[in-house]
Amino acid sequence: WRSCCSISRRSLKMEAVGNLAGGVAHDFNNLLTAINGYSELLLNRLGEESPLWKDVDQIRQAGDRAASLTRQLLAFSRRQVLQPILLDLNQVVADMGKLLRRLIGENFELLAVPGKELWTVKADPGQIEQVIVNLVVNARDAMPGGGKIALETANVFLDENFSLNHPYASCGPHVLLAVSDTGVGMSEETKAHLFEPFFTTKEKGKGTGLGLSTVYGIVKQSQGYINVYSETGKGATVKVYLPRVDGEAETLEAVSPDTRQGSETVLVAEDESSVRGIIERVLTGNGYRVLPAGGGKEGLGISRGHSGPIALLVTDVVMRGMGGRELATRLEAERPGISVLYISGYTENAISHHGVLEAGLSFLQKPFTSRALLQKVREVLDKTRNH
């Protein structure tokens, strides 16, 4: 009984921190979109020979680090928008082999133990890669003198006994992803706080304490379960369980970014003027004609007053008055064939269900780089044209 109460209190505490973190990250993502975007524009105009280039580049790098922190906060608070596909975890692990070996260095042995005839899971591939990277880096840091890290996958069935002993774990078939190390291990006290944001056993300046809380958020939002087995001096094993789904895993193929110039007309609806401004600057600088609107109602009015074609609506999800989903619905009725790209700083039920993007919708997470914006705009326009 005491154990259940302790778990419940810890869960409520983490939920409260998550609510706060999600709200802060939302506001920061709008600021960072502008900071990073205008920094990019300045760097492109100045050139590396300018005496100001290094100063502006420091601003951009600081913005990138802040964006990384907000992404981790959103992952922990489960307020990111996931874009899941059917995955083979063996393929994900195999594809990451070279990256992981570069991350851990030469003093560590990385061993992959793939399960046979592994079942399929449904998850966001980028987020699962983040889970693996964070767990492997954490394992590396637990072995300052070097050691062995094992990545294992397997098909498992979680029964009622497991669920009784592990609150919040669901019964049924799952795919296991386990990361083990031969490091210093953890005490019961450390394990009790392991997934709390900003909790770390590392020296000051050596870690943010967000790595494992990020993993926790991603696994939870993917309807999975995570558990840690460890004893002081005997290493640790982190086990991630993701529910099995039916269907063939999709092939993960690297896609070359397409940021070529465009000529189409784009309606941009965004009530944050700084964000709207950077989107307009980037798109017009690459050949697009932009119709800027400070909100949904204004966007609808601009569309009705524009006699020519509008190929794409780029809209924030949450805006004062008329939101992005309502604006898109109205424009799709008035302008059949118009493409829509949603942008947002965090998940919203307007375009997602429990943080999972509705099928067929295109989405770009704030803060984004100029290159990511151009690539996504081109992708959405070309997808519509090809259909």
Side-chain angles (χ1 to χ4, degrees):
W1 180 82
R2 289 180 180 176
S3 176
C4 288
C5 286
S6 175
I7 291 170
S8 178
R9 283 196 301 271
R10 192 156 64 243
S11 178
L12 288 172
K13 175 184 175 183
M14 293 175 74
E15 188 69 27
V17 174
N19 288 334
L20 175 62
V24 170
H26 169 250
D27 293 337
F28 261 75
N29 278 338
N30 274 330
L31 295 172
L32 290 169
T33 300
I35 292 169
N36 294 357
Y38 283 109
S39 297
E40 280 186 285
L41 289 179
L42 269 175
L43 288 171
N44 291 336
R45 290 185 64 182
L46 289 172
E48 291 190 42
E49 68 281 355
S50 169
L52 297 175
W53 194 90
K54 286 187 177 180
D55 293 337
V56 178
D57 189 48
Q58 286 295 316
I59 296 172
R60 182 192 60 79
Q61 289 183 42
D64 286 344
R65 290 194 295 273
S68 177
L69 286 174
T70 59
R71 279 194 297 270
Q72 291 178 81
L73 286 170
L74 286 173
F76 165 72
S77 59
R78 286 166 271 168
R79 280 164 174 77
Q80 58 189 342
V81 175
L82 300 182
Q83 301 183 55
I85 63 173
L86 298 182
L87 284 179
D88 176 356
L89 290 187
N90 281 346
Q91 182 190 349
V92 177
V93 172
D95 289 347
M96 295 183 68
K98 289 183 179 178
L99 168 65
L100 295 175
R101 285 183 173 85
R102 285 200 301 269
L103 276 175
I104 62 177
E106 297 179 354
N107 292 335
F108 300 88
E109 180 184 354
L110 183 65
L111 178 66
V113 186
K116 294 181 179 180
E117 299 180 358
L118 201 66
W119 295 328
T120 303
V121 299
K122 190 170 186 179
D124 185 313
Q127 297 301 321
I128 295 302
E129 289 174 357
Q130 187 67 53
V131 166
I132 294 171
V133 166
N134 284 0
L135 291 181
V136 168
V137 168
N138 200 65
R140 178 202 66 189
D141 293 345
M143 301 181 290
K148 181 185 293 185
I149 301 172
L151 269 165
E152 179 185 1
T153 58
N155 297 327
V156 297
F157 191 94
L158 305 184
D159 58 19
E160 290 185 3
N161 285 334
F162 185 92
S163 185
L164 284 172
N165 293 319
H166 300 84
Y168 308 114
S170 59
C171 298
H174 287 70
V175 176
L176 166 70
L177 170 69
V179 178
S180 304
D181 64 67
T182 56
V184 297
M186 288 176 273
S187 66
E188 291 300 319
E189 176 67 15
T190 296
K191 283 194 287 183
H193 299 284
L194 195 59
F195 299 120
E196 294 179 8
F198 307 113
F199 173 79
T200 181
T201 57
K202 298 173 185 176
E203 298 175 27
K204 189 174 182 180
K206 294 289 186 180
T208 62
L210 284 172
L212 288 176
S213 60
T214 298
V215 169
Y216 173 88
I218 292 171
V219 172
K220 285 290 186 180
Q221 198 173 353
S222 302
Q223 312 307 312
Y225 178 73
I226 185 168
N227 198 26
V228 179
Y229 299 82
S230 182
E231 294 180 40
T232 303
K234 294 185 179 180
T237 299
V238 181
K239 294 189 174 184
V240 172
Y241 301 90
L242 296 175
R244 173 191 180 178
V245 297
D246 295 326
E248 289 285 326
E250 300 178 42
T251 303
L252 298 175
E253 296 179 353
V255 179
S256 300
D258 185 354
T259 57
R260 68 182 186 276
Q261 293 265 322
S263 59
E264 295 92 340
T265 298
V266 180
L267 174 60
V268 176
E270 167 63 70
D271 57 359
E272 287 286 342
S273 60
S274 58
V275 177
R276 185 172 68 250
I278 193 64
I279 295 173
E280 183 179 2
R281 289 278 297 276
V282 170
L283 293 181
T284 54
N286 281 267
Y288 297 95
R289 181 184 180 188
V290 175
L291 305 174
K297 290 182 179 178
E298 185 180 340
L300 191 61
I302 289 174
S303 172
R304 289 171 175 171
H306 181 72
S307 58
I310 299 177
L312 175 67
L313 166 67
V314 177
T315 180
D316 192 12
V317 177
V318 181
M319 296 182 288
R320 293 177 288 274
M322 184 186 297
R325 190 61 185 272
E326 183 182 352
L327 171 61
T329 300
R330 293 199 182 191
L331 286 184
E332 286 169 337
E334 297 180 8
R335 291 181 174 269
I338 189 172
S339 301
V340 180
L341 172 59
Y342 293 99
I343 57 175
S344 184
Y346 72 139
T347 178
E348 281 295 335
N349 289 334
I351 61 167
S352 66
H353 181 64
H354 295 305
V356 177
L357 188 69
E358 289 183 18
L361 299 187
S362 298
F363 176 77
L364 185 62
Q365 176 82 50
K366 296 178 183 176
F368 44 77
T369 64
S370 300
R371 186 176 182 81
L373 173 64
L374 291 170
Q375 180 183 346
K376 196 67 179 181
V377 164
R378 194 68 261 157
E379 175 191 311
V380 174
L381 286 169
D382 289 347
K383 182 170 63 176
T384 303
R385 179 181 297 159
N386 293 335
H387 283 78

